[in-house]
Amino acid sequence: MITRKFHDLTLPLLGFGAMRLPLLSEESGEIDRKQVNEMVDYAMKCGVNYFDTSPVYCQGFSERATGAALKRYPREKLLIATKMSNFQNYTRENSIKMYHQSMKELQTDYLDYYLLHSVGGGEGIKTFHDRYIDNGVLDFLLKERE
């Protein structure tokens, strides 16, 4: 795997995105966890250790399936990214709940990367302020980063 230095980290150039995972059937929408495990195993074998998901991917089940697959590996060998996907109910309370729920679904007590999902969506800077600034969510996340 080709890697690059980024600050004190060595990161692979290729990551594993979990926006679309294999399903047992289109009708059920249920994720094929056996196949996800095989995909994660292959990625890890090939040197991919960066995994990106979101609470809204795969009808809300991507984090859970990704977390179950990654739980089989030592946490220190993984880089896990997910997102603050507070598109509708972006109160401080709901946003912080979403943050904690993501870690629960991913079966981890910390995240390596926490991204602000679709920052420019809605009414641009006004929506950004509503979702992250005026409700104190960005201040909360900066404290969590410490």
Short mmCIF file of all heavy atoms in Angstrom, two decimals, residues 5-35:
data_model
loop_
_atom_site.label_atom_id
_atom_site.label_comp_id
_atom_site.label_asym_id
_atom_site.label_seq_id
_atom_site.Cartn_x
_atom_site.Cartn_y
_atom_site.Cartn_z
N LYS A 5 3.00 10.60 4.64
CA LYS A 5 3.11 11.15 5.99
C LYS A 5 2.17 12.35 6.10
O LYS A 5 2.11 13.19 5.21
CB LYS A 5 4.55 11.60 6.28
CG LYS A 5 5.54 10.46 6.40
CD LYS A 5 5.27 9.58 7.58
CE LYS A 5 5.96 10.08 8.82
NZ LYS A 5 5.71 9.26 9.99
N PHE A 6 1.44 12.41 7.18
CA PHE A 6 0.57 13.53 7.48
C PHE A 6 0.75 13.83 8.95
O PHE A 6 0.32 13.06 9.81
CB PHE A 6 -0.89 13.20 7.16
CG PHE A 6 -1.84 14.33 7.46
CD1 PHE A 6 -1.91 15.43 6.63
CD2 PHE A 6 -2.67 14.28 8.56
CE1 PHE A 6 -2.77 16.47 6.89
CE2 PHE A 6 -3.55 15.31 8.84
CZ PHE A 6 -3.60 16.41 8.01
N HIS A 7 1.45 14.90 9.25
CA HIS A 7 1.86 15.22 10.62
C HIS A 7 2.62 14.02 11.18
O HIS A 7 3.61 13.61 10.61
CB HIS A 7 0.65 15.64 11.47
CG HIS A 7 0.01 16.89 10.97
ND1 HIS A 7 0.51 18.14 11.23
CD2 HIS A 7 -1.09 17.10 10.20
CE1 HIS A 7 -0.25 19.05 10.65
NE2 HIS A 7 -1.23 18.45 10.02
N ASP A 8 2.12 13.42 12.26
CA ASP A 8 2.83 12.29 12.85
C ASP A 8 2.23 10.94 12.44
O ASP A 8 2.56 9.91 13.01
CB ASP A 8 2.86 12.41 14.38
CG ASP A 8 1.46 12.44 15.00
OD1 ASP A 8 0.50 12.74 14.28
OD2 ASP A 8 1.35 12.18 16.21
N LEU A 9 1.36 10.95 11.45
CA LEU A 9 0.71 9.72 10.99
C LEU A 9 1.23 9.29 9.63
O LEU A 9 1.65 10.11 8.83
CB LEU A 9 -0.81 9.93 10.86
CG LEU A 9 -1.59 10.25 12.12
CD1 LEU A 9 -3.01 10.61 11.74
CD2 LEU A 9 -1.57 9.08 13.07
N THR A 10 1.19 8.01 9.40
CA THR A 10 1.42 7.45 8.07
C THR A 10 0.09 6.90 7.60
O THR A 10 -0.46 5.99 8.20
CB THR A 10 2.49 6.34 8.11
OG1 THR A 10 3.69 6.89 8.64
CG2 THR A 10 2.73 5.77 6.73
N LEU A 11 -0.44 7.50 6.55
CA LEU A 11 -1.78 7.16 6.07
C LEU A 11 -1.72 6.48 4.71
O LEU A 11 -0.93 6.88 3.86
CB LEU A 11 -2.64 8.42 5.95
CG LEU A 11 -2.83 9.22 7.22
CD1 LEU A 11 -3.55 10.53 6.90
CD2 LEU A 11 -3.62 8.42 8.24
N PRO A 12 -2.58 5.48 4.50
CA PRO A 12 -2.66 4.86 3.17
C PRO A 12 -3.34 5.83 2.19
O PRO A 12 -4.17 6.63 2.60
CB PRO A 12 -3.53 3.62 3.41
CG PRO A 12 -4.40 4.00 4.56
CD PRO A 12 -3.55 4.90 5.43
N LEU A 13 -2.97 5.74 0.93
CA LEU A 13 -3.62 6.59 -0.07
C LEU A 13 -5.03 6.10 -0.39
O LEU A 13 -5.81 6.83 -0.99
CB LEU A 13 -2.79 6.64 -1.35
CG LEU A 13 -1.53 7.48 -1.27
CD1 LEU A 13 -0.85 7.54 -2.64
CD2 LEU A 13 -1.82 8.89 -0.80
N LEU A 14 -5.33 4.89 -0.01
CA LEU A 14 -6.64 4.32 -0.29
C LEU A 14 -7.38 4.09 1.03
O LEU A 14 -6.81 3.55 1.98
CB LEU A 14 -6.47 2.99 -1.04
CG LEU A 14 -7.73 2.28 -1.50
CD1 LEU A 14 -8.49 3.13 -2.51
CD2 LEU A 14 -7.38 0.94 -2.11
N GLY A 15 -8.63 4.50 1.06
CA GLY A 15 -9.48 4.26 2.22
C GLY A 15 -10.68 3.42 1.83
O GLY A 15 -10.95 3.22 0.64
N PHE A 16 -11.39 2.94 2.83
CA PHE A 16 -12.57 2.10 2.63
C PHE A 16 -13.80 2.93 2.96
O PHE A 16 -14.02 3.28 4.12
CB PHE A 16 -12.47 0.88 3.56
CG PHE A 16 -13.56 -0.15 3.38
CD1 PHE A 16 -13.29 -1.33 2.73
CD2 PHE A 16 -14.84 0.07 3.88
CE1 PHE A 16 -14.27 -2.30 2.59
CE2 PHE A 16 -15.83 -0.90 3.74
CZ PHE A 16 -15.54 -2.08 3.09
N GLY A 17 -14.59 3.26 1.94
CA GLY A 17 -15.81 4.01 2.15
C GLY A 17 -17.00 3.07 2.34
O GLY A 17 -17.16 2.12 1.58
N ALA A 18 -17.81 3.34 3.35
CA ALA A 18 -18.94 2.47 3.66
C ALA A 18 -20.27 3.13 3.38
O ALA A 18 -21.26 2.90 4.06
CB ALA A 18 -18.85 2.03 5.13
N MET A 19 -20.31 3.93 2.31
CA MET A 19 -21.57 4.58 1.93
C MET A 19 -22.54 3.59 1.30
O MET A 19 -23.75 3.68 1.49
CB MET A 19 -21.30 5.73 0.97
CG MET A 19 -22.54 6.48 0.58
SD MET A 19 -22.07 7.88 -0.45
CE MET A 19 -23.68 8.48 -0.92
N ARG A 20 -21.98 2.65 0.55
CA ARG A 20 -22.81 1.62 -0.08
C ARG A 20 -22.21 0.27 0.24
O ARG A 20 -21.12 -0.06 -0.22
CB ARG A 20 -22.85 1.83 -1.59
CG ARG A 20 -23.61 3.07 -1.97
CD ARG A 20 -23.60 3.31 -3.47
NE ARG A 20 -24.27 4.55 -3.79
CZ ARG A 20 -23.68 5.74 -3.82
NH1 ARG A 20 -22.40 5.84 -3.54
NH2 ARG A 20 -24.36 6.82 -4.12
N LEU A 21 -22.91 -0.51 1.04
CA LEU A 21 -22.45 -1.84 1.42
C LEU A 21 -23.36 -2.88 0.79
O LEU A 21 -24.52 -2.60 0.48
CB LEU A 21 -22.43 -1.98 2.94
CG LEU A 21 -21.45 -1.05 3.68
CD1 LEU A 21 -21.64 -1.16 5.19
CD2 LEU A 21 -20.01 -1.35 3.30
N PRO A 22 -22.86 -4.10 0.59
CA PRO A 22 -23.69 -5.14 -0.03
C PRO A 22 -24.89 -5.51 0.85
O PRO A 22 -24.78 -5.54 2.07
CB PRO A 22 -22.73 -6.32 -0.18
CG PRO A 22 -21.65 -6.08 0.81
CD PRO A 22 -21.53 -4.60 0.96
N LEU A 23 -26.00 -5.76 0.18
CA LEU A 23 -27.24 -6.10 0.88
C LEU A 23 -27.58 -7.58 0.68
O LEU A 23 -27.22 -8.17 -0.33
CB LEU A 23 -28.39 -5.25 0.34
CG LEU A 23 -28.21 -3.74 0.39
CD1 LEU A 23 -29.40 -3.05 -0.27
CD2 LEU A 23 -28.01 -3.26 1.81
N LEU A 24 -28.28 -8.13 1.66
CA LEU A 24 -28.79 -9.50 1.50
C LEU A 24 -29.85 -9.53 0.41
O LEU A 24 -29.92 -10.48 -0.36
CB LEU A 24 -29.37 -10.01 2.82
CG LEU A 24 -28.33 -10.29 3.92
CD1 LEU A 24 -29.03 -10.63 5.24
CD2 LEU A 24 -27.40 -11.42 3.50
N SER A 25 -30.67 -8.47 0.36
CA SER A 25 -31.63 -8.32 -0.74
C SER A 25 -32.02 -6.86 -0.82
O SER A 25 -31.98 -6.13 0.17
CB SER A 25 -32.88 -9.19 -0.51
OG SER A 25 -33.69 -8.62 0.50
N GLU A 26 -32.38 -6.43 -2.01
CA GLU A 26 -32.81 -5.05 -2.22
C GLU A 26 -34.09 -4.76 -1.43
O GLU A 26 -34.26 -3.68 -0.90
CB GLU A 26 -33.05 -4.78 -3.71
CG GLU A 26 -31.79 -4.70 -4.53
CD GLU A 26 -30.92 -3.51 -4.19
OE1 GLU A 26 -31.45 -2.43 -3.85
OE2 GLU A 26 -29.69 -3.66 -4.26
N GLU A 27 -34.97 -5.74 -1.36
CA GLU A 27 -36.25 -5.55 -0.69
C GLU A 27 -36.07 -5.30 0.81
O GLU A 27 -36.69 -4.42 1.38
CB GLU A 27 -37.17 -6.77 -0.88
CG GLU A 27 -37.58 -7.03 -2.31
CD GLU A 27 -36.48 -7.72 -3.13
OE1 GLU A 27 -35.76 -8.57 -2.60
OE2 GLU A 27 -36.34 -7.36 -4.31
N SER A 28 -35.21 -6.09 1.45
CA SER A 28 -35.05 -5.96 2.90
C SER A 28 -34.16 -4.78 3.27
O SER A 28 -34.33 -4.18 4.33
CB SER A 28 -34.44 -7.24 3.49
OG SER A 28 -33.06 -7.34 3.16
N GLY A 29 -33.21 -4.45 2.42
CA GLY A 29 -32.26 -3.40 2.74
C GLY A 29 -31.26 -3.81 3.81
O GLY A 29 -30.44 -3.00 4.23
N GLU A 30 -31.32 -5.07 4.23
CA GLU A 30 -30.42 -5.56 5.27
C GLU A 30 -29.02 -5.78 4.71
O GLU A 30 -28.84 -6.38 3.66
CB GLU A 30 -30.97 -6.88 5.86
CG GLU A 30 -30.18 -7.37 7.05
CD GLU A 30 -30.76 -8.65 7.62
OE1 GLU A 30 -31.89 -9.05 7.25
OE2 GLU A 30 -30.07 -9.27 8.45
N ILE A 31 -28.03 -5.30 5.45
CA ILE A 31 -26.64 -5.40 5.02
C ILE A 31 -26.15 -6.83 5.17
O ILE A 31 -26.42 -7.50 6.17
CB ILE A 31 -25.77 -4.43 5.84
CG1 ILE A 31 -26.15 -2.98 5.50
CG2 ILE A 31 -24.28 -4.66 5.57
CD1 ILE A 31 -25.51 -1.94 6.37
N ASP A 32 -25.42 -7.29 4.17
CA ASP A 32 -24.82 -8.62 4.19
C ASP A 32 -23.51 -8.53 5.01
O ASP A 32 -22.45 -8.22 4.48
CB ASP A 32 -24.53 -9.08 2.77
CG ASP A 32 -24.00 -10.50 2.69
OD1 ASP A 32 -23.46 -11.01 3.70
OD2 ASP A 32 -24.10 -11.10 1.62
N ARG A 33 -23.62 -8.79 6.29
CA ARG A 33 -22.47 -8.62 7.19
C ARG A 33 -21.34 -9.60 6.90
O ARG A 33 -20.18 -9.26 7.07
CB ARG A 33 -22.92 -8.75 8.64
CG ARG A 33 -23.80 -7.59 9.04
CD ARG A 33 -23.80 -7.42 10.49
NE ARG A 33 -24.67 -6.34 10.88
CZ ARG A 33 -24.73 -5.89 12.10
NH1 ARG A 33 -24.00 -6.43 13.03
NH2 ARG A 33 -25.54 -4.90 12.40
N LYS A 34 -21.67 -10.78 6.45
CA LYS A 34 -20.61 -11.74 6.11
C LYS A 34 -19.75 -11.17 4.97
O LYS A 34 -18.52 -11.22 5.04
CB LYS A 34 -21.22 -13.08 5.71
CG LYS A 34 -20.19 -14.15 5.36
CD LYS A 34 -20.88 -15.48 5.05
CE LYS A 34 -19.86 -16.55 4.79
NZ LYS A 34 -19.57 -16.76 3.38
N GLN A 35 -20.41 -10.63 3.97
CA GLN A 35 -19.67 -10.06 2.85
C GLN A 35 -18.91 -8.80 3.27
O GLN A 35 -17.78 -8.57 2.82
CB GLN A 35 -20.62 -9.76 1.70
CG GLN A 35 -19.89 -9.49 0.40
CD GLN A 35 -20.84 -9.43 -0.79
OE1 GLN A 35 -22.06 -9.47 -0.66
NE2 GLN A 35 -20.26 -9.30 -1.96
#
